[in-house]
């Protein structure tokens, strides 16, 4: 909250700077704005930027660096017996200290060096806050003074402001790149740490997945195994079921809507199909877990099949329903993009509508349709909530749609939700799975976008 | 197109050809039927989805309540008589409820029966009494008839959602069912509007659990997301569309944005977990972190929508502004951007609607914690509506499924409102050039 105050103070100062800069520019020329080289607003804007930007940048950098600095100071101040600890244990120790400090005064009952660490932590936080307030407000004032001195009628404030805005624009559009880099780096670092503990070949080709780490060495099931093949197989099975549901329905809907339906019917039906895409996935998860799964189980039971209560079929079918609109609206676009001349040529030869569609339109639209199917596939692989709620946790290596299987996303969620150390092989495994997921969906997306784009260029 | 099945030209007379033509027409009709079936099937799925949710949710508006004559006994609540807040908070309100039940059913004796009787009233009812006394300390030593929430099993039983007595699975015993009938006859058992669901946070007791905490959490998260995604998205769209030179660098940014739009949402959760919680040590379960993660996730959507809106502004506007001496930035800020704003806002609302329904990345950053208190700021631990739905749908009690369905209705209501707003905005301000 106190950081918020600092930011508000800086913003207030910058606003004051804006008004004063504008006023000063006007005052210097006796109220005749045309004698200024830039409009008064730009002089005000110059003040605002000089005053606010450096100070805000300072706050952000400070806040980014503070945790690491405080941690280092607190840990280096602890008694010598904690020095030789491994980095994992140090993390744990530091978490304890932080928890102790955030609980406030209730440090009684804790180890004395922890309590000392906690109070050290608190005092460092306080000092840091005060120092930040002083430093950033000084920076704002310095900016204010600097800009104030530069405002003269001949000062080209507009150029300065516009180049500054341009830099801000470039920075914000580079954010997308930083996000990607952030994703790749964070996944990669944790994955490398995971492969230090578990060999990469075991992970990629192992057939057994049981990620629990033992508390004691002699515990039953203490040997954890990180073979991800059953997970990949389960993901593939569920996505395949989803595609079996979604591709025919989605494709036929797209054909019907774009070729057969009247304009009015299309105007009503298309948005209704798109509602399916707008429903949050947690709603599908609810539907799958509480309605479809019991239904599938009961129907399987009547037919004498042994259906698991968290069968791959239920999750897959509901996921298929979810991606129908992706397939249909993307295919609709590519089918509509096929030139009318091709259709007319086919009709001219005496072909019927369905024959034209099957033999002329679809082959012409095929690359685009494949692209849309790949996009839908990547959506299915990355989908989380439906499978978390309706698919199982047991990593069975099976192709039976009535058995319970697990998926990459389910495992990520179960490995990371709940309290555990950040550094155990279990949590790191989730990042390795995340990297695999990211890589697969990225490849699918790139291939899909490339096929779609290549095809578009051909007809445009 | 050939639409006559009765051939009247010379070609159709030969038997083989007319057979073949009939077959082709049949194939045509079949193909068309497949199309109709596909659309009908997807609409059926939509109907099934909504009806399954609504059929589970509509009962939420009523909550079975039991009226008890509570004697707010001074000796139990506040033996010292000083009406100190601490004493009033710590008092044994359970004893009052027991006494009230005893007054209604003087014939019940024996520890087991008494416990079964006590189980009819929500175990959270003590807090309702506490709240009453705290609001009006003068109640102490008085007598009042109070409507208290019934336990979730009683509620489910009275709504006919679980069976009781002999056919039941033991959640409501035959004795309890008889007591409930007795209460109903005496007018002490009624279904009232379920205000608890809309005014309280989460709870371990289904009958006391509400969505206000999650709704406030969603609101805070969405505000943070909007405050970050909207300006950043508009600025990058403006740069890419209006100022960026066509080179490798901007191509890279474009490819990046398109790919980010298709990255699974859970990966953004992993990013938030390792960078925001790990490296930057931001608080767990906080709307602040949730908002940042969702902003990164919706940013590509906003950028793509904003670029489309900027593209739709005709070049003549730009040229006219440049012609009267505006700088390139003045052209954008004074002319192009205001004209593109409705489109940008529409895209932003749709992006926000998607962020509102997003669950998976928020699970990663700890917004699944059980949180009773209603959050007051962006760094308080909080949960959001979709996560709340997930938690309730996973809970074993039947009554939580009802709550999950009702929360879905609330979530869908918000989403429909937002999307309608977007559609209206587009209708109102759409300009054809």
């Amino acid at each position: 909250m106190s950081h918020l105050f600092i930011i508000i103070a800086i913003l207030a100062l910058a606003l004051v700077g804006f008004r004063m800069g504008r006023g000063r520019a006007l005052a210097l020329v006796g109220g005749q704005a045309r004698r200024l080289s830039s409009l008064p607003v730009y002089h005000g804007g110059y003040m605002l930027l000089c005053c606010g930007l450096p100070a805000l940048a300072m706050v952000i950098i400070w806040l980014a660096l503070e945790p690491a600095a405080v941690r280092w100071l607190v840990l280096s101040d602890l008694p010598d017996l904690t020095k030789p600890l491994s980095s994992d244990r140090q993390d744990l120790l530091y978490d304890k200290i932080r928890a102790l400090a955030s609980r406030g005064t209730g440090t009684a009952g804790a180890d004395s060096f922890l309590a000392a660490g906690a109070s050290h932590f608190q005092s460092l936080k306080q000092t840091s806050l005060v120092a930040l307030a002083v430093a950033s407000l000084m920076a704002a004032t310095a900016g204010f003074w600097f800009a104030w001195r530069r405002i003269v009628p001949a000062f080209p404030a507009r150029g300065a402001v516009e180049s500054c805005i341009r830099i801000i624009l470039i920075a914000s559009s580079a954010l997308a790149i930083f996000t990607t880099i952030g994703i790749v780096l964070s996944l990669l670092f944790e994955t490398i740490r995971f492969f230090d503990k578990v060999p990469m070949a075991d992970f990629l080709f192992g057939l057994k997945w049981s990620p629990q780490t033992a508390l004691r060495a002699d515990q039953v099931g203490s040997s954890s195994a990180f073979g991800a093949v059953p997970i990949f197989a389960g993901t593939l099975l569920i996505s395949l079921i989803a595609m079996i549901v979604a591709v025919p329905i989605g494709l036929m809907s797209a054909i019907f809507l774009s070729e057969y339906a009247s304009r009015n019917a299309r105007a009503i039906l298309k948005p209704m199909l798109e509602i399916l895409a707008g429903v949050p996935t947690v709603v599908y998860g609810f539907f799958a877990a509480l309605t479809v799964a019991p239904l599938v189980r009961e129907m399987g039971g009547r037919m004498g099949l042994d259906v698991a209560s968290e069968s791959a079929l239920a999750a897959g079918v509901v996921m298929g329903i979810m991606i129908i609109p992706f397939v249909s609206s993307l295919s609709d676009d590519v089918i509509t993009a096929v030139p009318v001349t091709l259709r007319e040529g086919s009709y001219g030869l005496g072909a019927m509508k369905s024959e034209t569609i099957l033999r002329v339109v679809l082959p012409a639209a095929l690359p685009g349709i494949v692209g849309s199917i790949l996009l839908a596939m990547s959506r299915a692989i990355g989908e989380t909530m439906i499978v978390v709620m309706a698919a199982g946790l047991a990593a069975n290596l099976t192709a039976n749609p009535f058995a319970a299987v697990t998926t990459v996303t389910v495992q990520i969620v179960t490995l990371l939700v709940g309290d555990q150390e950040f550094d155990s092989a279990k949590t790191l495994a989730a990042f390795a799975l995340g990297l695999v997921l990211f890589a697969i969906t990225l490849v699918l997306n790139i291939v899909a976008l490339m096929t779609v784009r290549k095809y578009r260029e051909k007809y445009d | 197109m050939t639409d006559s099945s009765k051939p009247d030209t010379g070609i159709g007379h030969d038997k083989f050809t007319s057979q073949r033509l009939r077959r082709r027409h049949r194939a045509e009709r079949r193909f068309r039927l497949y199309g109709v079936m596909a659309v009908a099937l997807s609409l059926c799925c939509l109907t099934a989805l909504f009806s399954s949710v609504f059929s589970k949710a509509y009962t939420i508006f009523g909550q079975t309540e039991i009226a008890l004559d509570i004697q707010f006994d001074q000796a139990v609540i506040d033996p010292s008589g000083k009406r100190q807040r601490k004493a009033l908070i710590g008092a044994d309100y359970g004893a009052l409820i027991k006494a009230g039940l005893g007054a209604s059913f003087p014939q019940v004796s024996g520890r087991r029966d008494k416990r079964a009787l006590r189980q009819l009233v929500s175990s959270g009812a003590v807090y309702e009494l506490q709240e009453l006394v705290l609001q009006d300390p003068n109640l102490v030593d008085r007598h009042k008839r109070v409507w208290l929430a019934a336990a979730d099993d009683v509620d489910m039983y009275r709504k006919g959602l679980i069976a009781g007595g002999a056919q039941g699975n033991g959640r409501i015993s035959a004795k309890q069912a008889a007591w409930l009938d007795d209460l109903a006859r005496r007018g002490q058992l009624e279904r009232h509007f379920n205000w608890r669901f809309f005014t309280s946070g989460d709870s371990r007791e289904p009958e006391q659990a509400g969505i206000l905490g999650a709704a406030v959490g969603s609101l805070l998260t969405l505000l943070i997301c909007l405050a970050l995604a909207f300006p950043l998205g508009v600025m990058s769209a403006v740069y890419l569309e209006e100022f960026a030179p066509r080179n490798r660098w901007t191509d890279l940014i474009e490819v990046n944005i398109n790919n980010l739009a298709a990255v699974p949402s859970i990966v953004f959760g992993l990013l938030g977990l390792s960078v925001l919680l790990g490296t930057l040590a931001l608080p767990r379960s906080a709307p602040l972190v949730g908002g940042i993660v969702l902003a990164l996730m919706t940013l590509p959507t906003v950028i793509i929508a904003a670029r489309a809106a900027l593209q739709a502004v005709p070049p003549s506007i730009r040229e006219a502004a440049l012609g009267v001496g505006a700088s390139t930035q003045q052209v954008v800020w004074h002319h192009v951007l205001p004209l593109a704003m409705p489109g940008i806002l529409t895209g932003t609302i749709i992006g926000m609607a998607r962020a509102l329904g997003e669950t998976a990345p928020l699970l990663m950053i700890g917004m699944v914690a059980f949180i009773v208190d209603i959050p007051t700021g962006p760094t308080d631990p909080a949960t959001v509506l979709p996560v709340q739905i997930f938690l309730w749908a996973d809970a074993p009690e039947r009554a939580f499924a009802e709550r999950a369905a009702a929360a879905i209705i609330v979530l869908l209501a918000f989403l429909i409102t937002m999307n309608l707003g977007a559609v209206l905005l587009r209708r109102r301000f759409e300009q054809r050039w």
Side-chain angles (χ1 to χ4, degrees):
Chain A
M1 262 341 205
S2 351
H3 290 117
L4 198 63
F5 273 125
I6 296 177
I7 292 173
I8 289 174
I10 292 171
L11 290 181
L13 199 58
L15 274 181
V16 171
F18 176 77
R19 291 195 68 97
M20 285 179 66
R22 204 174 50 180
R24 178 177 162 97
L26 267 178
L28 282 177
V29 290
Q32 291 171 298
R34 67 193 151 76
R35 283 175 52 207
L36 287 168
S37 101
S38 302
L39 291 173
V41 152
Y42 285 104
H43 287 97
Y46 186 69
M47 288 284 287
L48 182 113
L49 289 172
C50 283
C51 196
L53 271 191
L56 283 181
M58 192 169 192
V59 172
I60 289 170
I61 293 171
W62 191 292
L63 287 181
L65 295 182
E66 190 197 70
V70 169
R71 182 196 145 102
W72 185 76
L73 285 173
V74 167
L75 284 182
S76 63
D77 208 40
L78 288 177
D80 286 337
L81 72 141
T82 58
K83 289 273 154 47
L85 288 177
S86 68
S87 69
D88 292 12
R89 303 298 292 275
Q90 281 193 348
D91 282 349
L92 210 64
L93 200 65
Y94 187 61
D95 280 347
K96 269 189 190 161
I97 290 175
R98 261 191 1 197
L100 212 55
S102 68
R103 235 184 297 154
T105 50
T107 52
D111 291 336
S112 63
F113 74 91
L114 280 183
S119 67
H120 189 195
F121 177 84
Q122 274 173 332
S123 74
L124 279 175
K125 279 273 189 197
Q126 277 300 325
T127 324
S128 155
L129 185 66
V130 174
L132 173 60
V134 172
S136 60
L137 288 178
M138 267 169 67
T141 324
F144 190 97
W145 183 70
F146 171 77
W148 182 258
R149 276 196 350 166
R150 291 192 66 176
I151 292 179
V152 285
F155 176 58
R158 198 195 76 207
V161 169
E162 289 194 345
S163 50
C164 191
I165 288 179
R166 198 182 168 86
I167 290 171
I168 297 176
L169 291 181
I170 293 176
S172 62
S173 66
L175 187 71
I177 295 205
F178 286 128
T179 312
T180 312
I181 294 175
I183 288 175
V184 171
L185 284 189
S186 64
L187 292 181
L188 214 56
F189 270 129
E190 312 290 342
T191 308
I192 290 169
R193 277 162 77 194
F194 173 66
F195 287 143
D196 281 347
K197 302 188 182 199
V198 177
M200 194 197 277
D202 284 9
F203 174 72
L204 287 180
F205 305 112
L207 299 181
K208 190 167 175 292
W209 176 267
S210 62
Q212 64 273 22
T213 34
L215 297 170
R216 302 187 313 274
D218 55 340
Q219 205 177 350
V220 180
S222 65
S223 59
S224 53
F226 289 98
V229 170
I231 301 182
F232 299 149
T235 310
L236 208 61
L237 177 63
I238 290 187
S239 317
L240 220 60
I241 296 172
M243 300 314 286
I244 289 173
V245 172
V247 170
I249 297 184
L251 201 53
M252 280 313 293
S253 314
I255 290 172
F256 179 76
L257 288 180
S258 60
E259 300 283 325
Y260 286 104
S262 69
R263 189 183 281 262
N264 285 338
R266 187 181 151 89
I268 297 169
L269 290 175
K270 206 171 165 179
M272 282 182 80
L273 272 189
E274 270 156 16
I275 292 178
L276 279 174
V279 173
T281 54
V282 70
V283 179
Y284 283 108
F286 178 86
F287 182 57
L290 275 82
T291 308
V292 179
L295 200 72
V296 167
R297 189 173 155 74
E298 192 184 325
M299 273 167 41
R302 276 200 198 144
M303 287 187 285
L305 291 168
D306 182 29
V307 181
S309 61
E310 299 185 315
S311 61
L313 190 63
V317 166
V318 174
M319 194 188 274
I321 296 174
M322 184 197 85
I323 53 180
I324 287 174
F326 289 98
V327 179
S328 78
S329 69
L330 286 170
S331 315
D332 195 346
D333 289 348
V334 287
I335 288 172
T336 328
V338 172
V340 190
T341 46
L342 284 184
R343 291 188 183 99
E344 284 169 351
S346 168
Y347 295 149
L349 290 173
M352 304 207 158
K353 203 157 193 175
S354 62
E355 291 164 347
T356 306
I357 292 166
L358 285 173
R359 304 213 180 127
V360 178
V361 178
L362 283 189
L366 198 61
I369 291 173
V370 170
S372 75
I373 290 175
L374 288 181
L375 277 183
M377 184 89 185
S378 106
R379 181 71 57 151
I381 290 175
E383 168 47 40
T384 309
M385 290 323 291
I386 294 176
V387 280
V388 165
M389 292 169 84
L393 293 175
N396 298 322
L397 187 55
T398 173
N400 176 7
F402 302 112
V405 295
T406 190
T407 73
V408 174
T409 46
V410 172
Q411 287 304 318
I412 295 177
V413 169
T414 40
L415 290 176
L416 287 180
V417 172
D419 295 322
Q420 56 238 332
E421 306 165 48
F422 198 60
D423 275 346
S424 68
K426 221 173 129 178
T427 46
L428 292 177
F431 285 92
L433 288 174
L435 186 63
V436 172
L437 183 67
F438 179 71
I440 290 176
T441 49
L442 191 68
V443 169
L444 277 176
N445 291 332
I446 289 177
V447 171
L449 286 178
M450 264 164 44
T451 38
V452 171
R453 186 178 299 173
K454 210 169 165 185
Y455 160 79
R456 284 238 173 95
E457 278 162 10
K458 215 166 79 187
Y459 287 119
D460 277 352
Chain B
M1 250 203 72
T2 50
D3 63 346
S4 71
S5 50
K6 42 179 197 307
D8 50 5
T9 56
I11 311 163
H13 281 302
D14 123 49
K15 195 178 168 201
F16 175 72
T17 315
S18 64
Q19 244 176 15
R20 197 179 138 85
L21 198 59
R22 266 207 299 280
R23 211 163 51 230
R24 285 174 65 198
H25 277 291
R26 271 206 299 278
E28 168 75 33
R29 278 197 297 276
R30 221 166 32 235
F31 190 72
R32 200 193 146 97
L33 189 69
Y34 292 151
V36 174
M37 271 164 56
V39 175
L41 206 59
S42 13
L43 293 184
C44 278
C45 292
L46 188 67
T47 324
L49 179 68
F50 283 119
S51 57
S52 130
V53 170
F54 276 101
S55 68
K56 287 192 173 68
Y58 75 96
T59 50
I60 192 70
F61 294 105
Q63 162 71 38
T64 311
E65 294 186 353
I66 295 177
L68 290 180
D69 296 312
I70 299 285
Q71 173 68 35
F72 288 91
D73 196 345
Q74 166 119 15
V76 175
I77 299 175
D78 190 16
S80 67
K82 286 180 193 150
R83 303 283 188 273
Q84 274 172 334
R85 200 176 154 78
K86 207 172 167 188
L88 297 183
I89 288 175
D92 180 12
Y93 293 98
L96 300 184
I97 296 176
K98 267 184 211 151
L101 281 165
S104 289
F105 293 96
Q107 76 278 18
V108 174
S109 61
R111 274 182 69 174
R112 262 174 111 189
D113 281 359
K114 277 194 170 155
R115 198 188 309 144
L117 190 60
R118 173 67 184 83
Q119 278 165 0
L120 295 181
V121 180
S122 160
S123 53
V126 288
Y127 300 108
E128 293 176 17
L129 286 186
Q130 185 194 53
E131 191 65 21
L132 274 179
V133 172
L134 286 179
Q135 270 172 12
D136 180 15
N138 295 330
L139 265 179
V140 178
D141 237 9
R142 290 227 202 111
H143 184 90
K144 192 181 177 193
R145 169 165 278 210
V146 181
W147 285 97
L148 295 170
D152 57 319
D153 285 337
V154 172
D155 191 39
M156 293 287 109
Y157 169 66
R158 294 298 296 185
K159 286 172 180 170
L161 296 171
I162 60 172
Q167 322 86 334
N169 48 7
R171 306 211 70 143
I172 295 287
S173 67
K175 250 185 197 160
Q176 282 175 320
W179 290 331
L180 288 173
D181 290 339
D182 208 16
L183 278 174
R185 243 195 324 279
R186 283 188 266 164
Q188 277 180 279
L189 186 78
E190 276 176 17
R191 201 177 299 163
H192 291 155
F193 179 72
N194 190 359
W195 47 268
R196 289 177 191 85
F197 181 68
F198 298 98
T199 55
S200 46
D202 198 6
S203 167
R204 297 269 184 233
E205 310 297 329
E207 67 277 6
Q208 301 286 344
I211 53 160
L212 187 63
V216 173
S218 266
L219 182 72
L220 289 171
T221 311
L222 220 54
L223 282 180
I224 303 258
C225 175
L226 182 67
L228 289 173
F230 180 66
L232 286 172
V234 172
M235 286 196 295
S236 30
V238 164
Y239 178 70
L240 291 174
E241 204 52 50
E242 303 288 333
F243 299 119
R246 292 255 132 227
N247 58 21
R248 277 242 186 94
W249 172 246
T250 43
D251 272 357
L252 184 69
I253 294 181
E254 274 201 60
V255 171
N256 234 300
I257 289 170
N258 285 333
N259 275 322
L260 272 185
V263 167
S265 58
I266 193 168
V267 172
F268 286 98
L270 289 174
L271 173 73
L273 176 61
S274 84
V275 174
L276 298 178
L277 297 188
T279 314
L280 297 182
L282 291 173
R284 265 180 95 81
S285 318
L288 177 69
V289 182
I292 295 175
V293 168
L294 290 182
L296 291 179
M297 205 192 77
T298 41
L299 201 53
T301 321
V302 176
I303 294 176
I304 291 169
R307 290 191 67 175
L310 288 171
Q311 253 168 22
V313 177
S316 56
I317 302 273
R318 296 182 181 84
E319 283 151 15
L322 285 171
V324 294
S327 74
T328 43
Q329 289 208 0
Q330 285 170 336
V331 171
V332 173
W333 304 126
H334 297 173
H335 302 280
V336 180
L337 200 58
L339 286 172
M341 218 16 122
I344 296 177
L345 286 178
T346 310
T348 309
I349 293 175
I350 289 169
M352 287 300 121
R354 200 185 292 168
L356 176 61
E358 196 54 66
T359 322
L362 302 179
L363 299 182
M364 298 286 95
I365 54 161
M367 291 189 101
V368 280
F370 172 71
I371 291 148
V372 177
D373 297 325
I374 289 158
T376 53
T379 51
D380 284 357
T383 189
V384 293
L385 276 174
V387 177
Q388 188 70 75
I389 293 167
F390 165 64
L391 289 172
W392 281 343
D394 253 19
E397 285 95 343
R398 175 73 175 72
F400 271 127
E402 181 195 40
R403 256 136 252 265
I408 288 177
I409 304 286
V410 173
L411 179 64
L412 288 179
F414 279 128
L415 289 179
I416 289 171
T417 319
M418 287 170 84
N419 282 305
L420 264 183
V423 170
L424 288 181
L425 198 67
R426 196 178 324 178
R427 287 259 169 88
R428 174 83 178 71
F429 292 104
E430 193 176 47
Q431 237 164 337
R432 293 241 172 246
W433 304 94

